[in-house]
Amino acid sequence: MMQRRDFFRSTAGIGLTSLALEAVEGCSALRKEDWPSPDDPRYWRRIREQFSIPTGEAYFNVGTLGPRPRRVTDAVVDHMREIEKTIARYDYRPEHPEYIAGYRKQEELRAKVASLINVSGRELALLQNATMGSNFIANGLDLQPDDEVLLTDQEHQGNRGGWELREKRGGIRVRKLPIGTPPSDPDAVLRVFREAMGPRTKVIDVPHITSKLGIVMPVGPICEMARAHDVFSVIDGAQAVGQLHVDVKAIGCDAYVTSPHKWLLAPVGTGVLFVAEHRLKDVWATLASGNWNNYEPADGAFRLMQFGTANLSLLAGFDAALEFHKRIGPERIERRIAELANRLREGLKTIDRARIYSATHPAMTCGIVTWGIEGIGGPALMDELWTRKKIRVRSQDDKMVRQSVHFYNSPDEIDATLEVARALGRG
Ligand SMILES: Cc1ncc(COP(=O)(O)O)c(C=O)c1O
């Protein structure tokens, strides 16, 4: 059984693995300490101490960008320093540890990511963000003029831009289906898609969790419907992986994209694209380098990660972030987020002028709570939270803020939010 003091001991790595590991383990204070049990509130305080955000500042904008535990940043920086020191020894032979990303297969890290989301490493391409993955699908599929792609009317720009570009260049039709702001229940969303499907529908691409309101979509049933009509299904999981315990195989989609630099707390500039084994042949490479035409079954989606020289050190940090996430445990993280977000939702419901704009159906809620106070603009509310309590949320438009609740947040930070909301809500 894992000793608690081994909490952050990493086991896999990237090229210069041992160096990244030294960075992770180099914090001797941590190594010697015993960790409290996860049921002990001190456990979560200790978790919070792993981040560089100063005490007294509360960060609730992981929906835009995750903060990194210090050891993740250390893994990146130490890896970069080591490369700078030893670059003259780098002879580029295959047996030498690699110094750049963008050329080799990264099989070890792909397998680690794969085990987190229950797919095979062959089905994954490591990219730089979700936008890249979405674009690779939008550009990579063979579609005919008038073929139809169904999206929601609540896509993030990174997930709709590729389709819009392709529509403008000639050919496909993109339909953005209104799903409700928010939808009343998952069946209402399913009905919208069922009614919109027709003989020309070739692709359905929806978010796992919408960006602005944090609506958890019924992705499993949507993909089942797509499968029944031989429609290619794409799920934009930028807001899901790291927040929910995501099982991509169970969802049953053909492609899934995510940005680990959000909820998984990985270095900025990391992305993942999954393409199901049986669909790999249907996706052309968009960025082509030496392996664009490599259809070897064992290499799988390697063909889709041909972006040229890139920063390998980010992958050392990605590895450390995965380790951090796994040591806490995806289920425990999901439970903690639900507890904190419920506390926020329940508190807001008791304030007269507070409005929750996120979905309230229990199957559609998550750590993203988008809310407002009647009569106060979104940017003004964002500023009030910062000025009064050093709480960072993100304003979404003229009336709301998006509060992304993660495991490192605390009940006290939620209560401080409610205190501000109460003061403004009765004014
Ligand atoms: C649902 C969704 N999809 C895609 C993206 C784009 O992510 P990235 O900029 O990391 O590519 C975001 C970013 O906020 C998002 O919320």
Side-chain angles (χ1 to χ4, degrees):
M1 208 182 103
M2 185 72 61
Q3 294 296 310
R4 261 189 244 132
R5 66 189 170 78
D6 289 340
F7 190 90
F8 291 113
R9 184 183 296 274
S10 187
T11 52
I14 310 301
L16 298 177
T17 309
S18 54
L19 299 166
L21 281 186
E22 276 162 29
V24 168
E25 294 178 355
C27 181
S28 56
L30 260 178
R31 219 172 346 142
K32 292 200 182 80
E33 273 171 357
D34 270 335
W35 273 72
S37 141
D39 304 323
D40 184 334
R42 285 177 307 164
Y43 174 86
W44 294 108
R45 285 204 284 278
R46 191 69 61 79
I47 290 285
R48 173 63 178 83
E49 287 164 9
Q50 307 308 307
F51 294 81
S52 303
I53 301 167
T55 312
E57 293 185 11
Y59 187 66
F60 285 102
N61 193 20
V62 63
T64 299
L65 181 61
R68 272 138 296 285
R70 264 192 302 281
R71 63 216 56 249
V72 171
T73 309
D74 288 349
V76 175
V77 172
D78 289 4
H79 191 271
M80 288 179 81
R81 282 194 209 290
E82 196 58 26
I83 281 184
E84 299 309 323
K85 261 196 283 181
T86 60
I87 195 162
R89 300 172 211 167
Y90 177 36
D91 62 11
Y92 208 82
R93 286 197 171 99
E95 59 273 22
H96 193 281
E98 58 190 331
Y99 272 38
I100 52 176
Y103 285 91
R104 292 196 199 166
K105 296 177 192 168
Q106 309 298 349
E107 282 164 322
E108 205 179 338
L109 184 59
R110 281 160 75 200
K112 262 187 110 171
V113 178
S115 85
L116 181 72
I117 57 173
N118 191 29
V119 296
S120 101
R122 284 190 309 282
E123 296 170 301
L124 294 187
L126 300 179
L127 305 176
Q128 290 162 13
N129 51 43
T131 301
M132 209 172 184
S134 292
N135 274 269
F136 283 5
I137 297 298
N139 279 293
L141 293 176
D142 279 328
L143 294 171
Q144 304 305 316
D146 295 327
D147 279 352
E148 216 173 63
V149 176
L150 303 183
L151 310 177
T152 69
D153 62 346
Q154 293 173 44
E155 301 303 324
H156 186 273
Q157 53 188 323
N159 194 48
R160 63 178 152 76
W163 296 116
E164 290 168 350
L165 183 155
R166 196 152 173 194
E167 181 176 46
K168 182 156 187 196
R169 279 180 73 187
I172 64 167
R173 279 189 64 205
V174 178
R175 291 177 62 197
K176 296 164 185 166
L177 307 178
I179 55 166
T181 49
S184 54
D185 58 81
D187 283 345
V189 175
L190 281 176
R191 256 195 316 279
V192 170
F193 278 89
R194 198 174 299 119
E195 283 165 14
M197 293 259 283
R200 303 290 333 165
T201 307
K202 292 296 181 308
V203 180
I204 295 182
D205 183 349
V206 300
H208 194 164
I209 296 177
T210 64
S211 191
K212 186 167 161 182
L213 299 184
I215 300 160
V216 182
M217 295 279 286
V219 284
I222 288 176
C223 293
E224 195 181 334
M225 193 190 307
R227 253 191 332 275
H229 294 84
D230 198 26
V231 166
F232 193 102
S233 57
V234 191
I235 304 297
D236 169 7
Q239 297 289 351
V241 174
Q243 149 162 221
L244 303 179
H245 188 197
V246 174
D247 182 335
V248 169
K249 270 281 151 10
I251 292 170
C253 52
D254 294 317
Y256 191 98
V257 302
T258 194
S259 282
H261 48 225
K262 295 183 187 285
W263 296 80
L264 212 46
L265 315 178
V268 186
T270 47
V272 174
L273 164 65
F274 156 85
V275 181
E277 198 120 40
H278 69 285
R279 285 295 203 175
L280 272 165
K281 63 180 182 341
D282 300 331
V283 183
W284 290 88
T286 295
L287 272 179
S289 183
N291 276 278
W292 72 271
N293 202 23
N294 174 354
Y295 284 80
E296 280 301 317
D299 291 337
F302 176 49
R303 190 163 48 79
L304 305 176
M305 44 190 274
Q306 300 289 304
F307 43 77
T309 304
N311 189 343
L312 181 67
S313 307
L314 297 182
L315 298 188
F318 189 0
D319 190 6
L322 279 170
E323 209 54 51
F324 187 85
H325 181 88
K326 284 191 193 166
R327 294 297 162 90
I328 301 173
E331 288 89 1
R332 184 173 298 132
I333 287 171
E334 192 174 320
R335 264 201 317 276
R336 165 87 172 171
I337 292 173
E339 277 165 24
L340 292 172
N342 283 339
R343 190 180 182 105
L344 176 60
R345 278 185 286 265
E346 291 311 311
L348 288 171
K349 283 182 199 161
T350 66
I351 299 169
D352 275 353
R353 285 171 46 223
R355 296 285 171 269
I356 297 177
Y357 297 103
S358 296
T360 48
H361 189 284
M364 304 184 100
T365 60
C366 67
I368 296 177
V369 184
T370 304
W371 60 279
I373 301 281
E374 257 178 26
I376 299 181
L381 179 54
M382 173 173 76
D383 291 344
E384 288 286 355
L385 285 159
W386 181 253
T387 310
R388 293 178 185 227
K389 295 277 183 189
K390 293 277 180 288
I391 291 168
R392 173 55 58 211
V393 297
R394 175 167 165 188
S395 75
Q396 283 295 325
D397 62 13
D398 54 351
K399 65 177 181 188
M400 48 181 110
V401 295
R402 181 183 70 182
Q403 189 156 359
S404 305
V405 179
H406 212 345
F407 62 77
Y408 50 74
N409 293 123
S410 68
D412 288 349
E413 291 173 347
I414 300 290
D415 294 347
T417 305
L418 293 170
E419 214 179 293
V420 177
R422 236 173 256 118
L424 297 170
R426 60 160 185 259

